[in-house]
DNA sequence: TATCTGTTATATAAGTAGTATAACAGATAT
DNA sequence: ATATCTGTTATACTACTTATATAACAGATA
C-alpha cells in the first residue's frame, strides 16, 4: 500500500502544494478510488521524509476542496461520494488560472490549436493510464 | 499614454506578478506593440500607488523573459524584435503548468471538450480585441 | 545645471513555508 | 487495562518572500 509520491525539494513550488497535486493526480488516474484509505499524516511524513504538519496542510486543503474525508480517529479516505463536480464558479476560477498562460502563449506565437493539442495530451495522460502506475 | 493596469491588492497573487501579467496581456492584445515605450519605474509606481522596486521587479522578469528591453538611461520599451517564439522547452514548461489544472478538471468531471472551450474563449478574448481597451 | 533614466544598497515589517516538540482525546487491538 | 494508533492543537524557531522606505550613483538629456 505504498505511496507514489515524488517530490522536488529544489522546486519553488511548496511541498504541501506538490503533495496535494500528486494526490489529485492519483485520483484523476483512478489509482485512488472513492473510499480508498490514505496514509496517516505521520506515516506519510516519515515515508517521504518531511514534517507531519506539512502533510497535514496538504490534507486540510484536499478536505476543503472535497477530495477527501478526514475522520479524527479512523484516518483519511478519498471522498466516497466522489469529488464535487465542476460548476460555473469552478469554471470561472479555472478560466482565471488559464488566462495568464494563454496571454503568454499568444505572445509567443502558440496557436489555439497547438494549445489544445498540449491539453489533449495531458487529458490522455491521465485518462489512458487508468489504474496504472505511470 | 496612461496605463491600463488594475491590481487587486487583496489577492494572494504578488503585485509584481499581477503587473507582469497585465503587461503581457497588453502585448497579447496588441495594445502594446513592439517598440512601444513603457512608463519609467518611478512614474508607473506613482501612478498605481506602489513602490518603485515592485515595478522594477516586474520589469526585470519581463526583460528576463524577452518581453521588453531596458536601457539604463533611455527607459523601457516592448521588445522591438517581438517576443521569443515558443520552442520545445517552452511547450514542456507550459505543459507542466497545465498539468495540475487538468488533473483537477478531470476529477471534477470536466471533459477535454469543455476545457478546450474555455481555452478558446480566452484566445478569442485576447485576439478579437486587438488594440481595443477591454 | 537641473532633471530624467535604471541601478544598487540598506533597513524594516509582515507573511509564508517548513521543521521540531509536545501534548490531548478518542478509537482500537492485544 | 494498557499500549498504540488516529487527527488536532499549541508553541517556537529558522529561512525566505513580498513590499515598502530612503538614499545614493552614473549616464543621458533638455
Amino acid at each position: 500500500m505504498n505511496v507514489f509520491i515524488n517530490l522536488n525539494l529544489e522546486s519553488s513550488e511548496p511541498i504541501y502544494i506538490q503533495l496535494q497535486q500528486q494526490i489529485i493526480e492519483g485520483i484523476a488516474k483512478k489509482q485512488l478510488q472513492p473510499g480508498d484509505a490514505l496514509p496517516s499524516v505521520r506515516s506519510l511524513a516519515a515515508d517521504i521524509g518531511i514534517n507531519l504538519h506539512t502533510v497535514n496542510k496538504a490534507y486540510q486543503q484536499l478536505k476543503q476542496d472535497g477530495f477527501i474525508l478526514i475522520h479524527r480517529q479512523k484516518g483519511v479516505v478519498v471522498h466516497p461520494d466522489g469529488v464535487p463536480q465542476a460548476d460555473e464558479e469552478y469554471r470561472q476560477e479555472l478560466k482565471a488560472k488559464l488566462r495568464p498562460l494563454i496571454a503568454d502563449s499568444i505572445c509567443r506565437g502558440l496557436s489555439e490549436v497547438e494549445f489544445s493539442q498540449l491539453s489533449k495530451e495531458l487529458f490522455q495522460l491521465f485518462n489512458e493510464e487508468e489504474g496504472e502506475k505511470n
Side-chain angles (χ1 to χ4, degrees), chain A:
Chain A
M1 281 302 142
N2 254 347
V3 209
F4 40 91
I5 303 289
N6 52 340
L7 299 179
N8 177 8
L9 300 182
E10 319 302 319
S11 169
S12 67
E13 201 73 40
I15 297 175
Y16 78 96
I17 298 281
Q18 291 185 49
L19 181 50
Q20 214 180 315
Q21 289 173 348
Q22 299 261 335
I23 292 171
I24 292 174
E25 285 195 12
I27 297 175
K29 291 179 180 173
K30 305 209 167 101
Q31 292 166 351
L32 289 174
Q33 306 260 353
D36 281 1
L38 288 174
S40 75
V41 290
R42 285 181 180 80
S43 69
L44 182 50
D47 271 16
I48 58 188
I50 62 175
N51 191 273
L52 157 168
H53 294 107
T54 307
V55 174
N56 189 246
K57 197 166 179 179
Y59 277 1
Q60 288 301 327
Q61 279 228 30
L62 288 167
K63 170 189 167 192
Q64 183 78 24
D65 295 339
F67 287 98
I68 62 175
L69 279 187
I70 302 180
H71 193 281
R72 198 170 175 126
Q73 279 83 22
K74 295 176 191 169
V76 181
V77 296
V78 179
H79 205 302
D81 304 340
V83 184
Q85 296 298 286
D87 56 5
E88 190 49 31
E89 185 191 352
Y90 179 82
R91 262 172 259 260
Q92 288 309 312
E93 286 170 9
L94 177 56
K95 219 168 162 179
K97 289 174 192 161
L98 284 173
R99 188 174 171 121
L101 300 184
I102 288 178
D104 195 298
S105 294
I106 290 174
C107 293
R108 305 200 123 94
L110 204 77
S111 71
E112 185 206 326
V113 171
E114 290 172 287
F115 189 91
S116 289
Q117 175 59 28
L118 288 181
S119 305
K120 186 178 188 174
E121 288 170 21
L122 285 164
F123 268 92
Q124 286 175 348
L125 172 68
F126 292 123
N127 282 327
E128 284 179 355
E129 311 177 346
E130 297 198 352
E132 299 165 30
K133 52 189 165 181
N134 304 28

